[in-house]
């Protein structure tokens, strides 16, 4: 009986890999006959696990979605990874995710063996998270609603607030969600503007019903993360600029985040930064705070603001006798 139970757990673990297994492959992995595999699959079904079977030479077994969540079978590394991920999720910008993560982590730690509980406990006790203050919180129901529309290729209608607070109604063909450390974005084809647009999810208020379905379009870029970074670090601001950072690209990339701007190599010892800000004075501070020597490429007015700041700082030093 103990051997049979252990084999059922091993079979369930294989099926949870979310791929279709042939009976012969499962029999080979478990060291039993295909007939035993069929009996074990029947036992799993009796226990409430929806195991789908497709007939024929190309058929096989696959764990389906059921009405109840089956217990997950995790190896040591997977269990530690899930525990650490749940702990980190508490600092993300999804409304209620912190509380849900703590509840899930508590349940997981109850069933962890002592050796893994100690590993997770050590990571939690001796790790201090340095997280940016969260921006606007995202409703998880809105997030999943959008994700389903992306998956099912259904048109999405919603009310949207732009950065100035103005409200508009949008009808889009959603493509992908892109998340950063602080925010979630939707990349979608805007039907009224006949162009690709990027929307902050915390400003979206869906107005169902959704649909109809649409044939997916060619995405606006192969690297959607870079596409969104370029849009939110420059195009979303009233002032855009390009500066040459006098350090190699790799060194600049360690300090410039995806929301700070887009970097491009410019020889071996320099790189270009394309970025945006709400005004030239803010731009000067933004670039100066990166900590690198730089040259202004465009607009030329930015160089004038740099000189103004230099003169102001010099006068301040003179008045303080430094």
């Amino acid at each position: 009986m103990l051997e049979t139970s252990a084999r059922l757990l091993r079979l369930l673990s294989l099926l949870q890999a979310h791929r279709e297994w042939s009976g012969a492959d499962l029999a080979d992995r478990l060291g039993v006959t295909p007939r035993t595999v069929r009996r074990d699959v029947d036992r799993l079904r009796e226990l409430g696990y929806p195991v789908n079977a497709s007939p024929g030479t190309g058929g096989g077994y696959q764990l389906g979605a059921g009405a109840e969540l089956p217990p997950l079978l995790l190896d040591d590394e997977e269990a530690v990874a899930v525990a650490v991920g749940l702990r980190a999720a508490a600092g993300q910008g999804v409304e209620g995710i912190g509380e849900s993560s703590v509840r899930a982590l508590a349940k997981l730690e109850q069933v962890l063996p002592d050796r893994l509980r100690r590993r997770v406990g050590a990571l939690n006790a001796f790790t201090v998270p340095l997280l940016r203050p969260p921006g606007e919180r995202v409703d998880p129901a809105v997030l999943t609603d959008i994700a389903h529309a992306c998956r099912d290729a259904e048109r999405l209608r919603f009310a949207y607030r732009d950065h100035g607070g103005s409200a508009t109604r949008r009808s889009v063909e959603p493509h992908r969600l892109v998340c950063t450390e602080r925010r979630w974005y939707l990349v979608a084809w805007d039907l009224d503007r006949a162009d690709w647009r990027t929307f902050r999810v915390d400003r979206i208020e869906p107005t169902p019903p959704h649909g109809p379905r649409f044939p997916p379009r060619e995405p606006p870029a192969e690297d959607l993360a870079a596409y969104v970074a370029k849009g939110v670090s420059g195009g979303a601001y009233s002032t855009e600029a390009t500066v040459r950072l006098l350090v190699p690209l790799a060194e600049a990339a360690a300090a410039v985040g995806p929301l700070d701007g887009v970097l491009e190599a410019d020889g071996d010892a320099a790189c270009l930064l394309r970025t945006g800000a709400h005004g030239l004075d803010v731009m000067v501070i933004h670039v100066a705070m990166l900590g690198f020597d730089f040259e202004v490429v465009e607009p030329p007015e930015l160089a004038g603001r740099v000189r103004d700041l230099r003169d102001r700082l010099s006068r301040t030093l003179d008045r303080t006798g430094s």
Side-chain angles (χ1 to χ4, degrees), residues 99-154:
E99 179 185 349
S100 300
S101 299
V102 170
R103 291 200 310 269
L105 182 60
K107 293 177 182 178
L108 178 62
E109 289 182 339
Q110 283 180 344
V111 298
L112 286 177
D114 287 341
R115 67 181 188 281
L116 296 186
R117 193 179 296 114
R118 286 195 296 270
R119 289 175 61 183
V120 173
L123 274 170
N124 292 335
F126 294 96
T127 301
V128 179
L130 181 59
L131 300 173
R132 294 184 180 182
E136 296 290 333
R137 294 288 183 175
V138 175
D139 185 341
V142 172
L143 204 58
T144 54
D145 198 19
I146 294 173
H148 290 160
C150 292
R151 180 198 62 190
D152 299 335
E154 288 186 335

Side-chain angles (χ1 to χ4, degrees), residues 309-322:
L309 179 60
R310 177 201 62 192
D311 295 342
R312 193 178 311 128
L313 293 175
S314 295
R315 291 193 297 270
T316 299
L317 291 174
D318 290 341
R319 284 193 295 269
T320 57
S322 301

Side-chain angles (χ1 to χ4, degrees), residues 74-91:
L74 304 173
D75 62 29
D76 287 6
E77 300 304 322
E78 290 170 340
V80 172
V82 169
V84 173
L86 288 171
R87 179 73 64 181

Side-chain angles (χ1 to χ4, degrees), residues 13-33:
S13 179
L14 291 172
L15 291 173
Q16 282 184 339
H18 293 292
R19 53 164 287 191
E20 192 170 60
W21 295 86
S22 70
D25 285 342
L26 287 174
D28 183 60
R29 289 291 190 103
L30 298 170
V32 297
T33 65

Side-chain angles (χ1 to χ4, degrees), residues 12 16 47-50 63-73:
L12 184 57
Q16 282 184 339
L47 293 171
Y49 295 96
L63 189 65
E68 296 182 359
L69 182 67
L72 298 175
L73 298 178

